[in-house]
Amino acid sequence: MKKVLLAGVPKSPNLGDGLIAYTLNRIIAMRGKHQVIHFDLLDGRCDQSMPIYSARGGLHYAIAGAPAAKAAQAASAPALKLNSAGSSKKMTPDALRRLKAYWLHRSKNEKLNGELKKAVSESEAVFIGGGHLLIDTYWTFPLAVRRVAEEAKRQGKPLHILLVGARGPWSAQAKRWLLGVCRYAASIAVRDEDSRRFLLQLDPRLESKTVTLADPALFTPEAFGLTEVSAGVERPGKRKIGLGIMDPHEMNRHCELRWEREDCADWWAAAAKEALAAGHEVSLFTNGAASDNAFVEQFVKPRLKGVPGVEMTPYPTTVEQLVGTIAACHTVIAQRLHACIPSLAMGKPTYGLIWDRKLENIFADLGMSSQLIDFRESRQQLAAAVEGRMADSAEAINDKKLQLYEHIGRILP
């Protein structure tokens, strides 16, 4: 059995990153007998945390058995921590933030380098994949991505950059590191056209090996045994409307839009009441990020306390819980990309709140721009969303999945 190393951020508290790892794992398994060694860029090897599901619904631990009981117990308590408004961070000079990232990176070298060298030596190919990895997080990701690429190069292993997001600005040093990784890579697959354009503006020579593909979370049904999702069929009568909520302060890091927490909580409360008025039930959920959980706890729940028909879904601590929550809904209205994509893949009426360009691009690629909701002027859109009216995206999704399946087949050893 051939082995491939997949380096990403599967242990991120935002379970969307774990979902990427799960679904990539499943696509690779669909292409033949390969073992995936998972490596978290910031935390090291994590072989025992990647269960996948067969297309027939059976659970398989593709790497090295079920997670240890201690690890499962540690993951049982959801994190609740509201991000600061960002004033203290803005007052910290960029140079100091980069210096902190550099010394944290240095302090992890002894642990991570040993694990990485062993994992690369066991693998026939190295993939850096999933997540918004080609960004300059004050050197955190540039240093981590460079570490993997340099080890692959040192051992003479082929490197493929797989389904990442890329966005600027990059500092001069981060640009040198990340472009060095891209130039060594045998292929680069990004998740949206903005990422591709950004990379080619920095180095037009990357064009011949850079492609735009779909997000692997479109394979959620195959990865979790949900190939027959009856909830995806539009139906009259009472339905469960899933509201996937994100802390609006996350927008400060990714886009120009700003949404105050009080206003955002009012919007979600109004959305819930709109669904209830139409005769439906409501399920509030998050993707597991600590600040999203805390935002719902402190701002949204008080506005809907005691309102009948509103289910306060437990905050997920595993990808299985997140996928199960989405599968139980008939319609999903969400802001996080990896709440929207699994829902779309299951054939459910799905609506995304505009905030991040990659979400807009992915909806547009699927011919579903009409399913984007602008929270600043959305009353009519919201009424249509709770009634479950949506464009037919099945053919576009299948085309995207086929392109992704074929690309991974080409780069596997």
Side-chain angles (χ1 to χ4, degrees):
M1 178 178 290
K2 294 183 177 180
K3 296 182 181 180
V4 295
L5 173 64
L6 177 59
V9 282
K11 297 181 74 172
S12 167
N14 175 7
L15 295 171
D17 295 310
L19 179 62
I20 291 171
Y22 274 55
T23 48
L24 277 175
N25 205 339
R26 180 59 187 146
I27 301 167
I28 291 169
M30 291 167 68
R31 293 295 330 201
K33 294 182 178 181
H34 291 83
Q35 180 176 332
V36 180
I37 299 172
H38 288 273
F39 187 90
D40 191 286
L41 289 167
L42 306 179
D43 201 60
R45 190 161 175 161
C46 48
D47 289 351
Q48 294 188 335
S49 62
M50 285 293 132
I52 61 170
Y53 293 75
S54 74
R56 296 182 180 179
L59 175 61
H60 297 278
Y61 287 89
I63 312 300
K70 183 178 179 182
Q73 184 178 3
S76 62
L80 292 165
K81 183 180 179 182
L82 202 64
N83 286 344
S84 67
S87 57
S88 61
K89 291 181 179 179
K90 290 177 181 177
M91 292 172 65
T92 304
D94 290 351
L96 288 180
R97 297 176 73 176
R98 293 186 184 111
L99 186 62
K100 178 183 177 181
Y102 178 78
W103 284 111
L104 286 174
H105 178 82
R106 285 283 301 271
S107 70
K108 291 181 177 180
N109 274 350
E110 184 176 351
K111 171 184 180 289
L112 296 188
N113 283 350
E115 293 181 357
L116 180 61
K117 288 177 182 178
K118 186 174 185 297
V120 172
S121 70
E122 295 173 10
S123 306
E124 277 82 22
V126 176
F127 296 167
I128 295 175
H132 222 58
L133 302 182
L134 299 187
I135 59 174
D136 186 0
T137 46
Y138 299 99
W139 289 0
T140 298
F141 276 169
L143 283 164
V145 167
R146 183 187 67 151
R147 172 195 278 127
V148 175
E150 286 190 339
E151 187 58 35
K153 186 176 182 179
R154 190 185 71 82
Q155 296 193 30
K157 300 296 176 72
L159 174 71
H160 299 274
I161 299 175
L162 187 60
L163 305 170
V164 298
R167 189 188 71 246
W170 289 353
S171 62
Q173 184 61 60
K175 182 177 178 180
R176 282 191 287 272
W177 288 334
L178 290 175
L179 282 181
V181 173
C182 290
R183 287 163 183 160
Y184 175 68
S187 71
I188 303 170
V190 294
R191 294 182 304 173
D192 59 271
E193 277 298 322
D194 278 0
S195 293
R196 185 174 185 274
R197 280 192 291 268
F198 173 72
L199 287 180
L200 298 187
Q201 285 172 0
L202 294 176
D203 188 349
R205 293 171 296 177
L206 299 176
E207 182 172 13
S208 62
K209 60 181 177 182
T210 304
V211 297
T212 304
L213 296 172
D215 191 286
L218 288 177
F219 279 83
T220 297
E222 290 82 0
F224 289 86
L226 300 170
T227 48
E228 298 294 334
V229 185
S230 59
V233 179
E234 292 188 23
R235 64 190 66 193
K238 181 178 288 189
R239 292 177 293 114
K240 181 182 285 189
I241 311 298
L243 303 181
I245 301 175
M246 181 186 81
D247 177 10
H249 279 213
E250 181 73 5
M251 297 164 67
N252 295 345
R253 299 193 300 124
H254 293 285
C255 68
E256 299 301 319
L257 295 175
R258 296 294 177 264
W259 202 4
E260 294 302 318
R261 282 178 171 140
E262 295 286 350
D263 294 338
C264 179
D266 287 342
W267 192 95
W268 284 112
K273 291 172 183 176
E274 182 97 30
L276 293 171
H280 307 306
E281 298 174 343
V282 170
S283 172
L284 304 182
F285 71 94
T286 73
N287 276 32
S291 196
D292 294 357
N293 298 344
F295 172 68
V296 172
E297 195 70 23
Q298 296 179 31
F299 287 85
V300 182
K301 276 189 176 183
R303 286 166 164 78
L304 295 170
K305 186 176 181 180
V307 177
V310 177
E311 175 188 31
M312 304 294 182
T313 307
Y315 304 116
T317 59
T318 67
V319 177
E320 295 98 325
Q321 291 171 357
L322 174 62
V323 171
T325 295
I326 295 170
C329 298
H330 301 108
T331 294
V332 169
I333 303 169
Q335 196 160 12
R336 289 278 188 191
L337 179 64
H338 288 100
C340 293
I341 293 181
S343 178
L344 286 170
M346 296 179 205
K348 300 176 185 294
T350 306
Y351 299 80
L353 268 68
I354 290 174
W355 70 290
D356 191 358
R357 280 283 299 168
K358 66 177 181 289
L359 184 143
E360 294 181 57
N361 288 336
I362 287 171
F363 269 71
D365 285 347
L366 296 174
M368 297 185 63
S369 293
S370 62
Q371 307 304 118
L372 291 167
I373 294 176
D374 187 333
F375 62 84
R376 296 163 297 182
E377 43 183 85
S378 58
R379 305 312 304 175
Q380 187 174 355
Q381 288 175 295
L382 190 55
V386 299
E387 290 305 319
R389 299 193 295 270
M390 67 175 290
D392 183 6
S393 61
E395 184 176 352
I397 287 175
N398 287 336
D399 288 344
K400 296 289 184 183
K401 289 170 70 174
L402 180 60
Q403 294 169 14
L404 179 53
Y405 177 81
E406 290 178 341
H407 177 79
I408 290 180
R410 286 191 293 269
I411 66 176
L412 281 170

